[in-house]
Amino acid sequence: MAASSRSSSPTSGSGRTKREGKEKHKKKRKKKKKTITQSTILGSLPVWILVVLLGGIALFFSLNGYLAMSLIDKSNNSDINDSVPFFQQMWTKGKGRLEQLSIKDKNLFENVTNSGRQQMIGRDCASFGCAITPPDYKGDQIQQALLQIKNDTSDMRSIIAPFASWEMATMTRKSNRKHPPFNQDAAAIIKPFQTAQTTSKATGFFVGIFDGHGEDGHIDAQYFVKDVPKRLAQKLDSMAVNSNNKQATIVQHLKDTFVESDELAPKKMKLRGGCTASVTLRVDNTLYFANAGDSRTMLVAVNAREFQIVEAGPAPGVSQLYITRADKPHLPDELARIKAAGGTVHIPPPNPNLSRVIVHSDEFNDTIGLAMSRSLGDYEWTLKGVTPEPLVDVISLDDFHNSTQDPMTSIFLVAASDGLWDYRLKQWYAKQFAESFLNGKDDKRRIHPLQKMQDIIEFVSPNREDWYRDDITVVTLRIM
């Protein structure tokens, strides 16, 4: 999510900057004087006293470290990531990070965040399926997979890695922002997504993009990427297999899943951040799109016989079948709901898409604008009309029966955080990703989805490192 997803008011920000500058100058002068005094005193002490003092300090911190470690029962937390130093997790200071966490809060953070990191080396499995999460777009896993793709000429449909095959791919790129210094995006592909409603294990799936924002948005995204599919699977399992009004019931379950997941999430987490959610669920031959926020999912069809690579404009043979809405505060229905709840919306005249829901946050003691009208988390904004309830659209693949009878036609989806969508027109992405889903094993125009995705992320990212780049997370998946 872009830095502007939650942005402080310029007036209060500039006031704080001046005061902080004076305070830092005073502290610097005091620190300098203090250092000189301490050095003078220490220099006058005998060597043996200094040795005793240093030894005592080292023993003190060692004992404290041992006692702190003994308080954490790692046997109750299978998601502990030993590669992350204990004290880095416990005592990292600064906005957007965990400040002197209680043991309960530390366990929550490790359960949510570290499990997301561990998933990147494989799959995180539950009763309803195994979640595949995106690795870093330039990381070792991606580079090894691309090398394998380059050397693999035996089977065009072979699975290169859990996150890459000729049928799907996913990856993520961290923002270049300095604060908070985390990738706040999360995503999951669960295929097959097995519930009582799944009659064909080969076709059912769950795809979700969760784009965090705010100080602790990375924690929100990692929490909801695990909780939403689990809660949805429980609801689908509770349905009768051949229930009447199946579509309407699933739509309601999707809405209830988002709302309940938000309501039951830890309040402290929701006070300090939030996230979008763009979910696609396939049950049999029906697609359900549930969206809250400005992450988006697009459905595209490409006919290899008609497809042509073009520099500008729409490509022949490529059709954008559907795309979810970006939920912005200036939209009439959203604006009406927020105002009815007593909320305030700022709409810049030149560009309404930059509209914000304005709230004075007690948590941060600042006036902050939220760049969306629907989200998970964002507790103080839900009190002013922002809702976690998604808009849900239903598309039957039977509606495309005639076009899909052509063996040269394929349908695929692209789901991504706004870090991708903000840079180019949707038709550009449709024709770019279409090159990866051309039917025909011998079609020389085909580019592996993983390679194509990396090329696109590289292309849309700013050339200069000092220009802002948002977190970018993408999933592409062949549907038929």
Side-chain angles (χ1 to χ4, degrees):
M1 178 61 60
S4 57
S5 295
R6 276 196 188 181
S7 52
S8 302
S9 64
T11 305
S12 61
S14 60
R16 284 201 314 277
T17 302
K18 292 177 180 178
R19 289 195 299 274
E20 288 173 358
K22 293 178 180 178
E23 290 172 1
K24 286 180 180 177
H25 183 65
K26 289 179 181 178
K27 288 179 180 178
K28 188 174 180 182
R29 289 169 57 192
K30 288 180 180 178
K31 186 176 180 181
K32 186 175 180 182
K33 291 179 180 178
K34 187 176 181 181
T35 303
I36 293 171
T37 304
Q38 289 173 343
S39 300
T40 303
I41 293 172
L42 289 173
S44 64
L45 292 175
V47 174
W48 68 269
I49 294 179
L50 290 175
V51 171
V52 171
L53 285 173
L54 292 173
I57 292 170
L59 180 62
F60 174 81
F61 280 107
S62 297
L63 288 172
N64 274 276
Y66 174 80
L67 290 172
M69 289 293 284
S70 66
L71 291 173
I72 305 299
D73 181 8
K74 289 191 176 184
S75 64
N76 292 329
N77 186 355
S78 61
D79 291 326
I80 291 290
N81 186 347
D82 293 330
S83 66
V84 181
F86 174 79
F87 283 106
Q88 181 179 331
Q89 295 170 357
M90 287 291 286
W91 305 107
T92 304
K93 295 184 178 182
K95 286 187 177 181
R97 309 183 191 181
L98 302 176
E99 302 176 10
Q100 297 189 0
L101 298 181
S102 66
I103 292 173
K104 180 179 178 182
D105 289 333
K106 175 187 176 293
N107 285 337
L108 168 66
F109 180 68
E110 287 182 337
N111 278 325
V112 172
T113 306
N114 289 336
S115 62
R117 291 171 182 158
Q118 288 182 348
Q119 288 173 36
M120 290 186 181
I121 63 171
R123 297 168 181 246
D124 182 35
C125 295
S127 60
F128 48 81
C130 297
I132 300 169
T133 57
D136 182 75
Y137 96 120
K138 284 287 191 181
D140 291 341
Q141 296 173 72
I142 295 289
Q143 300 309 316
Q144 292 170 10
L146 292 175
L147 182 61
Q148 187 177 345
I149 290 166
K150 182 178 179 181
N151 297 329
D152 182 18
T153 58
S154 58
D155 183 2
M156 294 289 281
R157 293 187 180 275
S158 61
I159 296 175
I160 305 302
F163 53 84
S165 71
W166 279 95
E167 305 298 311
M168 57 80 65
T170 182
M171 68 175 65
T172 186
R173 185 179 192 185
K174 179 184 173 297
S175 169
N176 61 357
R177 65 173 170 264
K178 299 295 187 284
H179 172 76
F182 310 104
N183 187 333
Q184 295 195 306
D185 284 359
I189 306 169
I190 307 175
K191 187 177 188 296
F193 188 64
Q194 302 177 36
T195 69
Q197 305 309 311
T198 307
T199 58
S200 173
K201 292 183 179 180
T203 59
F205 65 76
F206 172 100
V207 170
I209 296 283
F210 300 83
D211 181 356
H213 51 254
E215 297 295 331
D216 288 345
H218 48 291
I219 300 178
D220 291 71
Q222 291 290 351
Y223 177 89
F224 289 116
V225 76
K226 294 172 70 73
D227 190 70
V228 167
K230 178 180 71 175
R231 197 173 297 278
L232 178 60
Q234 291 170 349
K235 291 184 178 298
L236 295 177
D237 282 338
S238 69
M239 289 174 58
V241 176
N242 296 315
S243 62
N244 295 326
N245 302 317
K246 183 175 181 177
Q247 283 192 11
T249 304
I250 292 177
V251 167
Q252 191 59 50
H253 280 330
L254 278 162
K255 292 180 178 180
D256 292 344
T257 293
F258 277 49
V259 172
E260 290 175 16
S261 184
D262 176 79
E263 289 178 348
L264 298 176
K267 184 177 178 181
K268 180 179 179 181
M269 181 185 80
K270 295 187 292 182
L271 278 168
R272 297 185 62 80
C275 74
T276 69
S278 188
V279 167
T280 306
L281 171 70
R282 180 174 181 176
V283 178
D284 298 331
N285 230 26
T286 304
L287 298 175
Y288 298 84
F289 297 91
N291 207 82
D294 56 8
S295 295
R296 307 182 77 177
T297 302
M298 179 170 64
L299 193 63
V300 182
V302 57
N303 184 287
R305 187 185 303 105
E306 301 172 1
F307 177 73
Q308 295 179 26
I309 298 173
V310 294
E311 290 294 329
V318 178
S319 304
Q320 181 183 307
L321 304 176
Y322 167 81
I323 189 166
T324 57
R325 186 184 79 168
D327 300 314
K328 293 295 185 179
H330 71 280
L331 298 174
D333 55 330
E334 306 297 279
L335 182 62
R337 185 187 67 250
I338 293 166
K339 285 189 172 181
T344 301
V345 176
H346 171 66
I347 306 175
N351 189 352
N353 283 319
L354 298 179
S355 58
R356 298 286 188 272
V357 183
I358 307 298
V359 165
H360 180 80
S361 169
D362 293 332
E363 176 69 16
F364 297 104
N365 191 28
D366 200 357
T367 300
I368 303 173
L370 181 66
M372 62 200 69
S373 54
R374 295 173 187 258
S375 69
L376 302 176
D378 296 316
Y379 180 81
E380 292 180 296
W381 281 261
T382 60
L383 303 177
K384 297 296 182 180
V386 173
T387 177
E389 182 176 309
L391 294 179
V392 182
D393 291 322
V394 181
I395 293 179
S396 173
L397 292 173
D398 293 332
D399 295 340
F400 309 119
H401 179 76
N402 291 334
S403 62
T404 54
Q405 288 300 297
D406 186 340
M408 300 303 288
T409 297
S410 60
I411 296 177
F412 63 95
L413 66 78
V414 180
S417 56
D418 70 325
L420 183 84
W421 298 116
D422 286 348
Y423 288 108
R424 292 289 185 278
L425 295 175
K426 310 306 174 286
Q427 68 179 21
W428 186 85
Y429 291 111
K431 69 183 180 183
Q432 290 294 324
F433 283 110
E435 293 183 54
S436 295
F437 296 98
L438 298 173
N439 281 347
K441 181 176 179 179
D442 298 325
D443 195 323
K444 301 301 183 184
R445 298 171 297 177
R446 288 186 69 184
I447 302 175
H448 194 281
L450 193 71
Q451 180 65 69
K452 190 64 181 178
M453 187 178 292
Q454 188 187 62
D455 292 344
I456 289 172
I457 291 176
E458 188 73 35
F459 184 82
V460 301
S461 297
N463 292 327
R464 290 175 49 175
E465 193 60 27
D466 58 338
W467 292 349
Y468 178 74
R469 182 188 69 250
D470 198 0
D471 296 322
I472 300 175
T473 301
V474 191
V475 172
T476 58
L477 176 70
R478 177 190 290 273
I479 294 176
M480 57 193 310

